[in-house]
Amino acid sequence: MDLLVHYLSLATKSIFIENILLAFFLGMCSFLAISKNVEASKGIGKAVIFVNGLTVPVNWVIKNYILDPGALYKWIPIESLKDVDLSFLTLICFIATIAALVQFVEMFIDKFSPTLYNSLGIFLPLITVNCSILGASVFMDERAYTFGESVVFGSSCGVGFYLAIVCMAAIRFKLRYSNIPDGLKGLGITMILTGLLSMAYLAFSGIQL
């Protein structure tokens, strides 16, 4: 029961209190570009949940069983591997894992939902270099999460991204019928709304977990 409560607390914290977009402002490029359309926002949000939910635990395994000092010796009992330290390859391996999974997601969407694939356009392959995806794996490493925590954290970061971008898309849809000053139309009003949405999410920071 304590473990379940811990995981629920971690998920709540990752989705609301430390939202990867609105607390750390990672992945703003796709957030600002895709949130013009609600359906496209839902599509890329689901893709981020899937990619984050897989890459964070996969990168945890790579870090703990291949890259960390002496990690290879854990499963290959060769004396010369005791002092092998491949941690300098951490970021490269994280990016390679993300790139491979994003390629898989891109092929899957192209096969089963060509309309969504066309609406996402160039921004789908750009998930590979999306700061929020890499940021989740880096946070996992810095905070020394266990494998279970990395699964919950990765998926929750994706859910937080999904909620933030869909909320912004819904607001921008309503703005089409609003009288906005010419100087604020487009990116200007979007940046202001992002700040206001981020401030709204600050209300969750009062929750102590």
Side-chain angles (χ1 to χ4, degrees):
M1 180 60 72
D2 289 342
L3 186 61
L4 178 60
V5 170
H6 173 65
Y7 286 158
L8 288 174
S9 298
L10 178 60
T12 303
K13 186 176 181 181
S14 303
I15 295 170
F16 298 108
I17 302 171
E18 295 182 354
N19 186 282
I20 199 78
L21 269 173
L22 300 175
F24 298 104
F25 295 99
L26 297 176
M28 292 302 294
C29 50
S30 55
F31 174 72
L32 295 173
I34 297 291
S35 60
K36 297 175 184 177
N37 181 282
V38 175
E39 289 304 316
S41 297
K42 288 180 180 178
I44 200 167
K46 291 173 183 176
V48 168
I49 292 173
F50 178 80
V51 172
N52 249 349
L54 284 179
T55 55
V56 175
V58 167
N59 282 332
W60 184 93
V61 171
I62 291 173
K63 185 74 168 59
N64 284 270
Y65 289 96
I66 297 177
L67 302 178
D68 278 350
L72 290 171
Y73 185 74
K74 294 177 182 178
W75 54 284
I76 305 177
I78 299 175
E79 198 66 27
S80 59
L81 296 178
K82 263 189 175 181
D83 301 320
V84 174
D85 182 2
L86 300 176
S87 56
F88 64 94
L89 296 172
T90 298
L91 284 179
I92 295 175
C93 290
F94 283 2
I95 293 170
T97 303
I98 292 166
L101 284 169
V102 168
Q103 187 64 37
F104 171 77
V105 171
E106 185 177 1
M107 291 188 295
F108 182 85
I109 293 176
D110 187 24
K111 175 73 173 177
F112 294 101
S113 183
T115 304
L116 177 59
Y117 180 81
N118 291 329
S119 66
L120 292 176
I122 189 63
F123 296 103
L124 184 57
L126 283 179
I127 292 179
T128 304
V129 289
N130 190 315
C131 303
S132 64
I133 305 291
L134 180 60
S137 290
V138 171
F139 288 150
M140 170 274 297
D141 181 31
E142 288 182 348
R143 297 171 183 177
Y145 285 144
T146 63
F147 180 77
E149 288 172 335
S150 69
V151 173
V152 174
F153 176 70
S155 302
S156 301
C157 281
V159 173
F161 184 99
Y162 178 91
L163 289 177
I165 196 169
V166 171
C167 282
M168 177 57 74
I171 294 170
R172 292 180 74 176
F173 178 79
K174 291 291 185 182
L175 285 179
R176 295 177 186 177
Y177 308 101
S178 303
N179 186 18
I180 302 170
D182 291 338
L184 289 178
K185 287 181 179 178
L187 193 58
I189 192 66
T190 304
M191 294 297 290
I192 292 173
L193 287 171
T194 302
L196 292 173
L197 200 56
S198 178
M199 290 172 66
Y201 265 67
L202 281 176
F204 295 109
S205 62
I207 301 173
Q208 299 296 322
L209 297 174

